[in-house]
Amino acid sequence: MVDLDTREWLLTNGLGSFASGTVSDVRTRTYHGWLFAATSPPSGRTLLLSHLEASLELPNRVIALGTNLWGSGQIEPKGYQQLRSFDINPVPKWIWGEDEWQLSRLLIMPYGLVEKGQGEDTSVRGFPPLRNVSVDKKLPPFSASSFCHRILVQYRYEGTDAATLRLRLLIGDRDFHHQQKVLPELQFSQLLGQQQVCLQAITSHNFGTPWHLRWTQGEYQPDTVWYWNYGLREESLRGLGDREDLYSPGYITLTLKPGDAVTLEARVGFPSELQTPLTSETFAEVVEAEQERLSQVFGWGVTEDMGTNQFKIQNSKFKIWNFPSSPSLPHSLTPSSPSSPLWRRLLQAADQFVVYRASIAGPTVIAGYHWFNDWGRDTLIALPGLALIPQRFDLAKGLLQTFGRYCRYGLIPNAFPDIGGEPFYNSIDAALWWFETLGLYLEATQDWQFLAEQYPVVQQIYKAFLGGTRYNIHLDATDGLIGWYAPGVALTWMDAVVEGQPVTPRRGKPVEINALWYSALCWASRWAEILSEQEVVADPGRLAKQALRYAQLAQQVKASMQQFWNPQLGYLYDTIEPDDRRNSQIRPNAVLALSLSHCAFSQKQGQNVLDLARSSLLTPFGLRSLAPTDPEYIGKYNGNSEKRDRAYHQGTVWSWLIGPFIRGWERFYPEQPLPFDWQPLLEHFLSDACIGSISEIFDGDQPHTPRGAIAQAWSVAEVIRHVKIK
């Protein structure tokens, strides 16, 4: 594998469907394939089309262009040896070739959320064009009347002689977390039509997801065969199932003259007479439509050159957003150079996480690809970078509205279920992050009507934390701080659990939870004052009294936050435990406590915390989750599931934490340059791991190898939030 380029690429469709693979075209993960369809958006992700195995027949020889790693460790065929180039922009493109021939392949996954009856208007409710949207206007509900899961592939041939291209279908019907195996009861039906074939799995009288493949030219030959024992190297390294069997129902053969192209489309569902005919121009039209959609979302010109992936990063080009320490955001969040290719790619990366959830008929955010669904905490932390900085205010509003609507017991869901299920309320901080994010949205938009609509949720959360709620979450009346005391659960973002026990037990009063609580009280006091002055409420006197109560409790909490100060270390205790002991481990939660809109700590305390975090936690890719000097520190995130879970928050670097560090630094060292070089993280974004996205985590030890999910929403969002491009 040393000579294979196993960097990855990712395509998504706004519904949870995705396509992914490697630069060298070898499949190394269970999650590699060309059509994982989210049959219950964004869940129910099912592998249908793995790939097309291509071979090119020239007058004197046959060249196999595929690259397969088998369970034996053998690589056969070795098509990567003919691979001449790969580019991700504007869509993934491979070029294989030698002196006398060249074959290119392009892939695109069109946006799948389609409103019927809109004519030429390509906007989607919940994601309308944003540049002229008034946030005071009531937006239509986020909904969709049709879903479309598909991927298009185009091959183009150049050469001195005509050639024959053979494309063998490799397919499946399995959950995206599991591998497919040959089973006697697993059969596939196929029905051949005019330049199209309909496919469906059948297992013990159960029918799988129907889909079809169509093409612009060529002849299809049924030729059923199983290919056994593909090896999945990344799954081997993760201690998971690492063998896959794929089914081939047949192959397509066509003759290509120099300059000829063939376009194919794989689409979920049976063919329909309403489908647009597939032509030689279809692929280019879909690429143009996607650029038009992005133009509407982000307000850039469709015809402007996106550039190539091979430009030099100059660190001097990157500056930090001036995120003020006071609870206010600048009304203009547009970057100074929205046409910058790098800025556009960051926004495109952010857009991959924004999806529609059918079970709530609303917007949500995939936490990461490949294996995460949507998570409440992650969504709310990522929201400023995904929605506020790009001025997607309707999206921000829709997300906040959805979470507010599902508030129960004073808690915000940490995860939504599929249709018919109940949300999961297993987080102490999601409700507090909702406060913080709502505050940032309101400061950016001055949307006080929306505040009036959401204020009952504000009161519900406040009363639940005050009087107690699930997991024995409640306020300590002696100091005003918030804690939880239920054993065997992990309710903060450090939530890894092994054999029923939290790896980082943080029962009691965690520092960032109480920092969020303090900021929430400050927000609530301000909001009550604002609403008392608005004409949208009936009893301004009552609101003025509420504002005073919130402010008084906030002052108590601010004073009590000094219990977290560790004078010997010059840092913040991570947790005040149920028996009142203090946990003095050096963790990034202290930095989180400095980064919120309202901060309870002094200038000197903040500087001391940042100095120690800089020397102990800061890396070129984010903050470590535990200082290397700690005896519990684990510097590498590898091995089987248990080993990885034990390392997850015990030293592993989290790139999203660079955002809180920057916000803390801007607040407490406003005149000092940021001690962080953007270049390594941006080079990672441009050309490492998943090209065009940012990994979830990195090893705590050098060289800080990227790990975990290959594309993570809050990792991308925090870079967007703070990097400014000239």
Side-chain angles (χ1 to χ4, degrees), residues 330-344:
H331 287 269
S332 176
L333 298 170
T334 308
S336 57
S337 181
S339 62
S340 161
L342 176 55
W343 181 250
R344 288 186 174 200

Side-chain angles (χ1 to χ4, degrees), residues 19-219:
S20 185
T22 66
V23 171
S24 63
D25 223 28
V26 67
R27 285 152 301 286
T28 62
R29 295 185 189 270
T30 303
Y31 307 96
H32 284 164
W34 289 4
L35 182 56
F36 285 92
T39 55
S40 178
S43 304
R45 284 173 275 189
T46 303
L47 174 68
L48 298 175
L49 174 61
S50 172
H51 64 287
L52 299 174
E53 191 84 1
S55 62
L56 195 67
E57 300 178 13
L58 296 171
N60 56 351
R61 59 188 174 129
V62 177
I63 304 167
L65 299 178
T67 298
N68 295 315
L69 173 66
W70 302 99
S72 63
Q74 181 182 7
I75 300 173
E76 185 64 36
K78 298 182 174 65
Y80 70 94
Q81 294 178 343
Q82 278 76 41
L83 186 61
R84 293 293 170 259
S85 69
F86 172 83
D87 193 7
I88 198 71
N89 183 64
V91 297
K93 179 180 181 179
W94 293 257
I95 298 178
W96 294 267
E98 294 175 329
D99 292 342
E100 72 276 16
W101 65 273
Q102 177 178 292
L103 185 73
S104 64
R105 185 187 72 201
L106 296 89
L107 296 176
I108 187 169
M109 178 168 274
Y111 193 67
L113 187 57
V114 181
E115 283 287 350
K116 292 180 179 177
Q118 290 187 323
E120 296 302 314
D121 181 6
T122 58
S123 65
V124 178
R125 284 190 286 175
F127 296 99
L130 302 181
R131 295 299 146 180
N132 298 312
V133 170
S134 168
V135 294
D136 295 321
K137 181 177 70 174
K138 182 174 177 59
L139 294 167
F142 186 102
S143 63
S145 55
S146 65
F147 303 144
C148 185
H149 308 276
R150 59 182 178 141
I151 189 162
L152 281 88
V153 191
Q154 185 179 82
Y155 292 89
R156 185 175 297 277
Y157 171 73
E158 299 289 348
T160 57
D161 300 297
T164 298
L165 179 64
R166 176 173 291 187
L167 301 172
R168 178 169 281 280
L169 284 65
L170 278 303
I171 70 172
D173 192 303
R174 61 157 172 87
D175 177 79
F176 76 138
H177 289 310
H178 303 102
Q179 298 83 38
Q180 181 170 263
K181 302 293 184 183
V182 175
L183 297 171
E185 61 269 24
L186 176 59
Q187 305 292 325
F188 289 86
S189 69
Q190 58 175 318
L191 180 62
L192 186 61
Q194 181 66 33
Q195 290 187 321
Q196 63 183 0
V197 60
C198 302
L199 299 153
Q200 188 173 29
I202 304 172
T203 307
S204 302
H205 307 292
N206 293 320
F207 293 96
T209 302
W211 63 284
H212 63 280
L213 182 76
R214 54 182 182 153
W215 53 91
T216 54
Q217 61 168 311
E219 298 297 326

